[in-house]
Amino acid sequence: MAPIRVAVVGMGKIAHDQHLPAIAGNPAFTLAATVSRSDSTVDGVPHFRTLQDLLDHGPDVDAVALCTPPQVRYDLARLALDKGLHVFLEKPPGATVAEVDALAAQAGARGVTLFASWHSRHAAGVAPAKAWLAGRRITGVNVIWREDVRVWHPGQDWIWQPGGLGVFDPGINALSIITHILPDPFFLTEAVLDVPENRAAPIAADLHFRDARGTPIHMDLDWRQTGPQSWDIAVETDGGTLQLSQGGAVLALPGETLRNADEEYPGLYARFAELIAQGQSDADARPLTLVADAFLRGTRRTTDAFFD
């Protein structure tokens, strides 16, 4: 079978650091083109300033990976789907839940694949964590997701604008893990969002959820942490405590600790190829729905101005 010809749209840090190596390492794909308004190009690969330019004048492609900010992703995805292309959405899959639902319906009507990617679900410890939790009674969950925004998102003003999610940009990674590994659905009961006085999106958030059994789930998000970063999930069960740390890369179970190689983006592209081969889509919007609920129900608290 010929490789899937994929174009990467949006040539920022995540495209260079993760997408391009994952595509190069998967024989199911070949990098056919790049698209960006910047001059960030790849040697020997055709480059276009817009997706429309690529579609009008470029080589044939079978799929696009959209790595742009979420606020502009819907129109790009709709254009690609309308042309019969498979679409890989970097996380979060859109600026609103309704956008993702509309794209999923369009992909279904066109008979092409829409993949809402959640890279943290492919961290090494996540699949064994899900298997270990199956059938166990969960009594509580605590998530601490704290990092330094100046390290991970320097100068990225879009992330502070409406639709950019603020601290939920990393926080949604934790939500993507716990919506995947916990056996029961859960929902928000209360939230406090700390919003800098000069920004539109929160820099920190304290959230409480519960599932239908009443199990409490607490999440502490903060973008002001310096020094060591905290990406930790603890799940209390009748069989002991499960700990996921380093964003899901390390799993500690009672009596053992598992650590494997980082396979997040290679895993995403393996999944994308599988979906295309099967003629299916995977557009799970549950993590984004929970973020939307936090904005809907959360109390906004003004905090000190933030300057990058």
Side-chain angles (χ1 to χ4, degrees):
M1 180 180 293
I4 300 162
R5 299 164 296 184
V6 61
V8 175
V9 182
M11 293 296 292
K13 180 176 173 57
I14 195 69
H16 283 279
D17 291 353
Q18 301 292 348
H19 287 261
L20 297 185
I23 292 167
N26 190 327
F29 293 94
T30 185
L31 181 63
T34 60
V35 177
S36 177
R37 293 190 182 278
S38 72
D39 294 325
S40 181
T41 60
V42 177
D43 288 346
V45 177
H47 181 74
F48 301 86
R49 291 187 62 80
T50 69
L51 179 56
Q52 189 66 62
D53 287 344
L54 166 62
L55 297 175
D56 289 343
H57 307 294
D60 290 337
V61 298
D62 306 302
V64 296
L66 300 183
C67 307
T68 64
Q71 295 98 320
V72 300
R73 205 173 293 153
Y74 170 79
D75 287 335
L76 295 169
R78 181 172 178 80
L79 175 60
L81 292 171
D82 188 58
K83 297 297 184 180
L85 304 181
H86 308 293
V87 174
F88 179 121
L89 299 171
E90 179 56 76
K91 70 87 187 174
T96 70
V97 180
E99 288 180 2
V100 182
D101 289 344
L103 292 174
Q106 184 185 4
R110 290 288 295 170
V112 294
T113 292
L114 179 71
F115 181 34
S117 71
W118 300 106
H119 64 81
S120 292
R121 288 182 176 176
H122 291 266
V126 172
K130 180 179 175 68
W132 191 85
L133 288 172
R136 285 186 164 83
R137 183 171 62 86
I138 296 171
T139 57
V141 180
N142 190 50
V143 178
I144 299 176
W145 221 258
R146 290 173 161 241
E147 64 181 44
D148 187 346
V149 65
R150 291 184 174 93
V151 171
W152 299 99
H153 296 282
Q156 296 183 14
D157 287 340
W158 65 266
I159 214 162
W160 295 104
Q161 297 167 359
L165 300 190
V167 74
F168 287 100
D169 181 81
I172 205 170
N173 294 333
L175 289 171
S176 76
I177 293 175
I178 61 176
T179 53
H180 185 63
I181 67 173
L182 298 181
D184 296 315
F186 56 92
F187 55 90
L188 185 79
T189 57
E190 60 179 305
V192 176
L193 312 181
D194 287 334
V195 183
E197 63 181 9
N198 62 333
R199 303 288 180 169
I203 197 168
D206 187 79
L207 305 107
H208 293 268
F209 306 88
R210 69 175 176 88
D211 64 18
R213 303 169 188 262
T215 306
I217 300 168
H218 176 245
M219 176 175 283
D220 171 13
L221 307 179
D222 204 313
W223 244 352
R224 298 167 294 194
Q225 178 147 306
T226 58
Q229 311 285 272
S230 303
W231 301 300
D232 304 311
I233 298 170
V235 184
E236 303 288 343
T237 80
D238 57 356
T241 301
L242 175 151
Q243 294 270 0
L244 276 169
S245 58
Q246 296 182 29
V250 178
L251 171 63
L253 301 172
E256 64 177 323
T257 299
L258 306 175
R259 182 193 300 266
N260 294 302
D262 177 14
E263 293 292 333
E264 291 187 12
Y265 278 81
L268 287 177
Y269 274 91
R271 175 63 172 156
F272 190 34
E274 176 185 28
L275 289 169
I276 291 172
Q278 295 174 349
Q280 297 178 352
S281 288
D282 180 355
D284 181 11
R286 287 178 297 164
L288 185 60
T289 298
L290 291 169
V291 172
D293 287 349
F295 280 96
L296 180 66
R297 187 166 184 178
T299 298
R300 294 173 67 91
R301 186 168 62 186
T302 301
T303 190
D304 295 341
F306 174 82
F307 299 97
D308 206 347

